Amino acid sequence: MTKQIKGLSADQVKKSLETHGDNSLSKEKNKSFFKRFLENLSDPIIRILLIALGLQLLLSFGDVNYFELGGILAAIILSTTVSTASEYRSEKAFDKLQGDVNATANVLRDGVIKKIPVSEIVVGDIVYLTVGERIHADGEIISGRIVVDQSALNGESAECVKQSGRESGWDLTNESKAFRGSVITDGNAIMRVGRVGAATYYGMVAKDVQTETRVSPLKLRLFTLASQISKIGYVVAAVVGITYLFNSVVIDNGFDTQRIILFISNPASILGALLNAFTLMITVVVVAAPEGLPMMITVVLSANMKRMLRDNILVKKLVGIETAGSMNILFTDKTGTITVGRPQVEKFITVSGEFKGIAALKKNREIYELLKICAHYNTDVVKSGEELTGGNATDRAVFEFFEEEEVPVCNIISKTPFTSERKYSSVTMKKGKTVIKGAAEYILAASRYAINGSGERVRFDKDTVYTRYLEAVNHGHRVVGVAFGDKDKLEDLTLVALIVMKDKIRPQVYKSVEEVSSAGIQIVMITGDGKETASSIAAECGILNRNAGHVVLSSAEMHDMSDAQLKEILPRLRVVSRALPQDKTRLVRLSQEMGLVVGMTGDGINDAPSLKLSDVGFAMGSGADIAKSASDIVILDNSFLAISRTILYGRTIFKSIRKFITFQLTMNLVACGVSLIGQFVGVDTPITIIQMLWVNIIMDTLGGLAFAGEAPLSYYMRERPKSREEKILSAEMLNQIFITGAYTLCLCITFLTSPVIRLMYGGLAPTPEFYTAFYALFIFAGIFNCLNARSSRLWFLSNIHKNKPFMLIMLLISVIQIGMIYFGGELFRCTPLALRELSFVITLSLTVIPFEMIRRLFYKLK
């Protein structure tokens, strides 16, 4: 061939490049670290902090509080940097999985075979294809014959023969055309390239996934939370500003009308009061802003991302973890995810009965010998070391079953390969006997005789064998037939046996399906198998329950339904058989229109659009690069168990976020209340801005780390999934925030106003010891409220042993804050306290725990 064809010349390559372009794909460019950083600044909670920062700068009038500004700026930069770094590292780890990055191809140019990068292949190139390689462009086979695995393109496990011919068009079923993304399992061939880059079938799918998906449930909820916090902060700030003005104008003037009029008529006095009111309002907005929340969310997502990698789950997008926990419906592939993806021989059906295992089969010597010939000569399987290559999955299963048996010596004079039209393959021996292996229905229809247990050729009574064949098919088995006959009389065969194979369900799938179903998530299995096989497998692993009214649809039946009709059936749908790629995208789209959070698994090129469109896409680690690129999460070991684990991690993260928000908003409520009421009880600054920022930096950062360590608890998987629109602030959270927050605020106000407590710390007038003790009260009330927020159960230490770092972090915070009391000095307005004085404050703050337990008891009883 190389003597007749020289391939393209350098000038022809240049011209082809100008006309058709190169073979690179229109891949979405990786974002730089800086661009990701800027995008992450759009986080809804970060926006609140940016607004607070801007207001502080705008209204500082030259009197800038650098500690306050520095604290807010640090919270923004730290959380955004950590979030960006985590996503950037995850993308780099994912890039290592990509298969085409350094791939090359053997191309004939100017009469010389050259190895060139696949991106440099052009239309018209002559490419040499060998077994084990991936095809990197679409083209026409001009010489040779190969067997290819196109499952990544069409989702069908049956392998296809590609050889030279004259068929036109670029349909996947065209035997003379090979397509990018296919894997060569057997043979060698020469291909003339006809389409490259975005024009290939692979490239057209790649273009479809370059679209943005809708906002994740977590971001949607955070936007709502940001709006809620902003409104509450602005309302409280307005109340504080109005009360300050009332206090300055009315109360400070002793309710004397004449003095009030005089105060208002003095521009300097009223301007000073207004400026002070604005400053106080800004302080309240800053205090109300949850500056620790972005950092906490980033930390909890990043920490769980690392844990998940140990479970063979690679997270590409951090929010994908939480989205998995919010799923309402999961569309999953069968092959390789629910099943092992490798069929194995289970038994043999003959006219004399069924046989399992080699020992039983050997008792039927004639049948055994013919099946051995079929296994070793009527397949395209080649053993290379410990690996089996060539042939399709069925061939490899048959070969593997007889692999250890002695290879029969046969003189083969001709072979006929399998094709989808012919439905069989055959080998003819020297004496004229032809052994045929093919579709069971074809073999049964063409058989007139059969071999019995004694090795005798008898008339074939089809009823019994056919009944057993139907039973096998209805139980999800794959069945092929083996027969023999004369080369010229293939319509008059003698049945040897039906080989029954099964792609076994992965051992952990049964438990995982039960866990996911008990979590209230609807599982829909999508497969290219027929209805009977698909239904059998779905029922066996627990996805399908006919008694519960579950529905099985074929692709054709779906096609005949309108969107409204399919939406009506969707809640009961459990299996889609003979599925096409467009069926998946349609199901995802309709589910999202119904307000559901949609998960999709896939491994093929044809799965990429639906993976991209879904709220959370799970790609299999062994899948096509484009599928992994379109996904949010890559399951490295192809296990359904990993999906179940991801859902659990997602729910744990959402609960951790809620716990932290409960803690932070409780303390923010107390801080706002103290700022508001303090001015009326003669204490203008119960807590200084520097003290507040220090508390926020230490409590928020370390508190976020503590909540990030919360363990995934199995009972989370027994809860119903959250609605996409469900607010982060639940009724129970608001109850805890306001009631426990109100109690903590009462403790603080009682401490500030009680003459008895003031006398304990040096006199009726506030002393440095008094202010230090109040600061300690606020700190330890925060620590104990952090413990309260950690668990929603009655006992606040429930499952604390599963998050050992939590208590260590709380202890560390306590040590740091006690150190601040004794060594903070004037900067933090602290002076050392006696042990008795400190013990009283800690004991008083500890009462928030029994109060919260009582509140929970009443809340659960109502």
Side-chain angles (χ1 to χ4, degrees), residues 566-582:
L566 191 52
K567 281 182 181 180
E568 188 177 342
I569 288 177
L570 193 56
R572 294 179 287 120
L573 183 63
R574 291 299 180 272
V575 178
V576 178
S577 65
R578 299 296 185 200
L580 300 173
Q582 54 267 35

Side-chain angles (χ1 to χ4, degrees), residues 5 26 31 64 71 75 138 225 247 266 310 326 341 357 385 403 431 477 538 576 688 691 699 744 780 798 829:
I5 300 176
S26 55
K31 296 171 184 174
V64 180
D138 293 356
L225 177 67
N247 188 46
N266 185 339
R310 292 196 290 268
S326 299
E403 186 178 0
K431 292 183 179 180
H477 294 74
V576 178
T688 67
Q691 285 177 336
M699 290 291 285
T744 308
F780 284 101
S798 176
R829 201 178 69 176

Side-chain angles (χ1 to χ4, degrees), residues 660-712:
F660 183 78
I661 290 172
T662 300
F663 154 68
Q664 192 168 58
L665 292 187
T666 299
M667 295 314 298
N668 284 3
L669 176 66
V670 175
C672 288
V674 167
S675 299
L676 176 62
I677 299 171
Q679 59 186 314
F680 294 107
V681 297
V683 185
D684 290 335
T685 53
I687 299 176
T688 67
I689 291 175
I690 293 175
Q691 285 177 336
M692 180 60 69
L693 286 170
W694 178 255
V695 169
N696 284 349
I697 291 170
I698 296 301
M699 290 291 285
D700 292 351
T701 304
L702 293 180
L705 286 172
F707 284 111
E710 283 296 283

Side-chain angles (χ1 to χ4, degrees), residues 215-284:
V215 177
S216 71
L218 179 60
K219 282 206 169 184
L220 190 66
R221 291 164 181 157
L222 287 175
F223 276 117
T224 303
L225 177 67
S227 175
Q228 290 173 319
I229 291 173
S230 299
K231 289 174 183 176
I232 293 171
Y234 297 148
V235 168
V236 173
V239 171
V240 168
I242 291 168
T243 53
Y244 178 85
L245 288 174
F246 182 79
N247 188 46
S248 299
V249 176
V250 179
I251 297 178
D252 287 354
N253 288 304
F255 293 92
D256 187 313
T257 305
Q258 190 172 357
R259 288 174 61 187
I260 291 170
I261 293 171
L262 188 64
F263 182 89
I264 294 172
S265 61
N266 185 339
S269 298
I270 195 66
L271 182 61
L274 286 171
L275 288 176
N276 289 335
F278 270 119
T279 302
L280 193 58
M281 288 169 67
I282 292 168
T283 302
V284 170

Side-chain angles (χ1 to χ4, degrees), residues 115-141:
K115 192 179 286 290
I116 66 170
V118 298
S119 61
E120 295 180 9
I121 296 173
V122 298
V123 171
D125 263 330
I126 304 299
V127 181
Y128 285 75
L129 306 175
T130 59
V131 64
E133 289 183 345
R134 187 182 296 272
I135 298 173
H136 297 293
D138 293 356
E140 181 182 4
I141 303 297

